[in-house]
Amino acid sequence: MTIAAAKRRLPVSERLRRSLSNGRVTAALVLLPPALILFSLFVMLPLGESAYYSFFNWNGYGTPTEFVGLENFERIAGHSIFHTAVGNTLKIVAVSLFLQMPLALLLALLIHRKTPTNAVFRLIFFLPYILAEVAAGLIWSFVFDGNYGITASIAGFFGAESFFILADREWAFAAVMTVIVWKYFGFHMMIYIAALQSVPEDQIEAARIEGARRLQIVRYVQIPHIKPAIVVSAFFAIIGALQVFDVIIPLTNGGPSNQTHTIVTYLYTFGLTRLNIGFGSAVGVILFIAAITVALFYQRIFMRGKQA
Amino acid sequence: MSEVQLQNITKSFGAMTVIPNLNLTVPDGSFTVLVGPSGCGKSTLLRIISGLEMPSSGDVLIGGQDVTLEEPSKRGISMVFQSYALYPHMTVAQNIDFGLRLARMPAAEREARVAEAARILALEDYLDRKPGQLSGGQRQRVAIGRSIVRHPKVFLFDEPLSNLDAALRTQMRVELAQLHQSLDATMIYVTHDQVEAMTLADQIVVMNAGRIEQVGAPMELYDRPQTEFVAGFIGSPKMNLLPGSAIGQEEVKTVGIRPEHIAVTGEGGDWPAVAQVVETLGADTVVYAKAERIGDVTVRLPGNIRLKAGERLSLTPERANLHLFGHDGRRMEVVQ
Ligand SMILES: Nc1ncnc2c1ncn2[C@@H]1O[C@H](COP(=O)(O)OP(=O)(O)OP(=O)(O)O)[C@@H](O)[C@H]1O
Ligand SMILES: [Mg+2]
């Protein structure tokens, strides 16, 4: 009979007595309530509240009285701008995963070694991430300005007619995504740099002796080593993409003709600024469910089996 | 033909010169062991031979060919690291044939080579495991396996056994010796361990501060150390290094006498002394004694001798086994 089996057969009262005497239950009783109270107060309650509001037609003043059932959700589902917003959010996810992350990885591979020059580059590449989102949006709105911005100068240099990219229905969102990549690649780069610095040097040297060239070392030694970091950074990329908001407001404010909304700017524009709190809450509920689903599936698929 | 020659090698890191000027020939098929105190440049020298490090000046020749500017993988060498440097995400088999896969060797030949290495190193049952699921000794064998399958001309080892416990180290030592015999390759081996050096080597290179103190067969170094440094470095317990006055020769700076070459009598010997510490090791008894006007003297006696700390002794060195060193630290030939 194994010890584990013996343990399992203990009566409940005995188990309770033991955990009481070894202080675990006491510790849980003392330490858990503050966290639980804070969590319910600031996370669960607002969530529950907005789930509740989502069933009302409510402008935010007074108490919600006009119960409308699932009508808010039906309106969202039929709203073409919401479809565009979801499509845009998915585009950001795709660009983050397939453009931003490879770019960040490439730069990390180039500058992960600890040298003074690399430290300077690291700082430069990390600066956009430190910058406030709104400030980044404003800066780029000047860059993209067709009258005074850099795009105007470039167009002028080539003798072409200046263009207003942020006002262009086709290209405005591409410009927005450029800014998003610019803003956040440094974050992913830093994750990779930290991971790359922990790859044992002698494994790289062993690979050199075995005849591996630079790219083969990247592929067979370094990337397998930093795979957990890549998995985590992809998770941040997806969750972050679902929440993009602050960069867009100063850049396009969702325009032109509502072509550059994300789910969150959609919520803000059609829920908050138009005083449709019930409607906005419904969008929030949808976003929350999407994020939770991603998080759960992601953990199931990528973040398990670490013990092997 | 895989002789390794180092010609006028120097190596500096920034302003610090680690190897001032070094010449060494490692004969084809030999088992050459580099020993020396920590920081004396053993690993640096090995890395220069492997090509992981460039010498600041001088030439590296392997099998008569100048490989100074050659990539590590083109030198016909393999290296076993102290930390094993196995790839944690690959199985044992994948670790072993990594280099062969890079070289695009046909699968059939690859498998044959892996199977052969696994047989030699008794790794057959572990080929599908990851390194994380192996013991230290097994990991070390995988690292050796990885270096065998490439059929290198020269094997380089940097303290490969230092992470193993004493029993396993002894076992692996024997296996390495057998491996050297069966492969008939040149091996260059860095170690701190006296016993490894003495038992494995057919040539020992004693280094000190980036210089070679002496090159020779183990017993040659033991019996006729050419410098005071080698005398103190080779042998355990250490050779006693006493002032020349101990034997009444003032022109001798240091006189060396190994602990086993001192006779102990109750009285009437050359050096009256008091036993300070007595270590009974079973086969031997090692006595650390304090001799009047001479200093600390270590004596090695047969295991059946019983002595107690504080006991008065009289020590007599065997005249024929004295090693005399002059003021330049070099050996003086004894004129009897
Ligand atoms: N990359 C490097 N940069 C600067 N100094 C170095 C470098 N590698 C080695 N050194 C210096 O060179 C000297 C010799 O180092 P080395 O590693 O060859 O010693 P070692 O004989 O192998 O020592 P140990 O027995 O402790 O392994 C040391 O003083 C070390 O500090
Ligand atoms: Mg070393």
Side-chain angles (χ1 to χ4, degrees), chain B residues 33-39 42 82 159 162 189-197 233:
Chain B
V33 173
L34 303 180
V35 291
S38 193
K42 306 180 294 288
Q82 179 175 3
E159 308 199 32
S162 58
Y189 188 102
V190 168
T191 182
H192 268 117
D193 189 309
Q194 289 272 335
V195 185
E196 275 172 37
F233 196 80

Coordinates of all heavy atoms in Angstrom, one line a residue, chain B residues 33-39 42 82 159 162 189-197 233:
Chain B
V33 N 46.9 15.2 -21.0 CA 46.1 15.8 -20.0 C 46.7 17.1 -19.7 O 47.9 17.2 -19.4 CB 46.0 14.9 -18.8 CG1 45.3 15.7 -17.6 CG2 45.3 13.6 -19.1
L34 N 45.9 18.2 -19.7 CA 46.4 19.5 -19.2 C 45.9 19.7 -17.8 O 44.8 19.6 -17.5 CB 45.7 20.6 -20.1 CG 45.9 20.6 -21.6 CD1 45.1 21.8 -22.2 CD2 47.4 20.7 -21.9
V35 N 46.9 20.0 -16.9 CA 46.6 20.3 -15.5 C 47.2 21.6 -15.2 O 48.1 22.1 -15.8 CB 47.1 19.2 -14.5 CG1 46.3 17.9 -14.7 CG2 48.6 18.9 -14.7
G36 N 46.7 22.1 -14.1 CA 47.3 23.4 -13.6 C 46.2 24.1 -12.7 O 45.1 23.7 -12.7
P37 N 46.6 25.0 -11.9 CA 45.7 25.7 -11.0 C 44.6 26.4 -11.7 O 44.7 26.7 -12.9 CB 46.6 26.6 -10.2 CG 47.8 26.9 -11.0 CD 48.0 25.6 -11.9
S38 N 43.6 26.7 -11.0 CA 42.4 27.4 -11.6 C 42.8 28.8 -12.2 O 43.6 29.5 -11.6 CB 41.4 27.7 -10.5 OG 40.2 28.1 -11.1
G39 N 42.4 29.1 -13.4 CA 42.7 30.3 -14.0 C 44.0 30.4 -14.8 O 44.4 31.4 -15.2
K42 N 43.9 26.8 -19.0 CA 43.7 25.4 -19.6 C 42.5 25.5 -20.6 O 42.6 25.0 -21.7 CB 43.4 24.4 -18.5 CG 44.5 24.3 -17.4 CD 44.1 23.2 -16.4 CE 42.9 23.5 -15.6 NZ 43.0 24.6 -14.6
Q82 N 32.2 20.6 -19.8 CA 32.0 20.3 -18.4 C 30.5 20.2 -18.0 O 30.0 19.4 -17.3 CB 32.6 21.4 -17.5 CG 32.5 21.2 -16.0 CD 33.2 22.2 -15.2 OE1 33.8 23.1 -15.8 NE2 33.2 22.1 -13.9
E159 N 37.2 19.2 -18.4 CA 36.8 18.8 -17.1 C 35.5 18.0 -17.2 O 34.5 18.4 -16.6 CB 36.6 20.0 -16.1 CG 37.9 20.8 -16.1 CD 37.9 21.7 -14.8 OE1 37.4 21.2 -13.8 OE2 38.5 22.8 -14.9
S162 N 33.9 16.5 -13.8 CA 33.9 17.2 -12.5 C 32.5 17.4 -11.9 O 32.5 17.7 -10.7 CB 34.6 18.6 -12.7 OG 33.9 19.3 -13.6
Y189 N 42.7 16.5 -22.7 CA 41.8 16.4 -21.6 C 42.2 17.4 -20.5 O 43.4 17.4 -20.1 CB 41.9 15.0 -21.1 CG 40.9 14.5 -20.1 CD1 39.8 13.8 -20.4 CD2 41.2 14.8 -18.7 CE1 39.0 13.3 -19.4 CE2 40.3 14.4 -17.8 CZ 39.2 13.6 -18.1 OH 38.3 13.2 -17.2
V190 N 41.3 18.3 -20.1 CA 41.6 19.2 -19.1 C 41.1 18.7 -17.8 O 39.9 18.3 -17.7 CB 41.0 20.6 -19.4 CG1 41.1 21.5 -18.2 CG2 41.7 21.3 -20.6
T191 N 41.8 18.8 -16.7 CA 41.3 18.4 -15.4 C 42.0 19.1 -14.3 O 43.1 19.6 -14.4 CB 41.4 16.8 -15.2 OG1 40.8 16.5 -14.0 CG2 42.8 16.4 -15.2
H192 N 41.3 19.1 -13.1 CA 41.9 19.5 -11.9 C 42.4 18.3 -11.1 O 43.1 18.5 -10.1 CB 40.8 20.2 -11.0 CG 40.7 21.6 -11.2 ND1 39.5 22.2 -11.7 CD2 41.5 22.6 -11.0 CE1 39.7 23.5 -11.8 NE2 40.9 23.8 -11.3
D193 N 41.9 17.1 -11.5 CA 42.0 16.0 -10.7 C 43.3 15.2 -10.9 O 43.6 14.7 -12.0 CB 40.8 15.1 -11.0 CG 40.7 13.9 -10.0 OD1 41.7 13.2 -9.8 OD2 39.6 13.7 -9.4
Q194 N 44.1 15.2 -9.9 CA 45.4 14.5 -9.9 C 45.3 13.1 -10.4 O 46.0 12.6 -11.3 CB 45.9 14.3 -8.5 CG 46.3 15.6 -7.8 CD 47.8 15.8 -8.1 OE1 48.5 14.8 -8.3 NE2 48.2 17.0 -8.1
V195 N 44.3 12.4 -9.8 CA 44.2 11.0 -10.1 C 43.8 10.8 -11.6 O 44.4 9.9 -12.3 CB 43.1 10.3 -9.2 CG1 43.1 8.8 -9.5 CG2 43.4 10.6 -7.8
E196 N 42.9 11.6 -12.1 CA 42.5 11.5 -13.5 C 43.8 11.7 -14.4 O 44.0 11.0 -15.3 CB 41.5 12.6 -13.9 CG 40.1 12.1 -13.6 CD 39.1 13.3 -13.8 OE1 39.3 14.1 -14.7 OE2 38.1 13.4 -13.0
A197 N 44.5 12.7 -14.0 CA 45.7 13.0 -14.8 C 46.7 11.9 -14.8 O 47.2 11.4 -15.9 CB 46.4 14.3 -14.3
F233 N 52.8 20.4 -7.4 CA 51.5 20.2 -8.0 C 51.2 18.8 -8.2 O 50.0 18.4 -8.0 CB 51.5 21.0 -9.3 CG 50.1 21.2 -9.8 CD1 49.3 22.2 -9.3 CD2 49.5 20.3 -10.8 CE1 48.0 22.4 -9.7 CE2 48.2 20.5 -11.2 CZ 47.4 21.5 -10.7

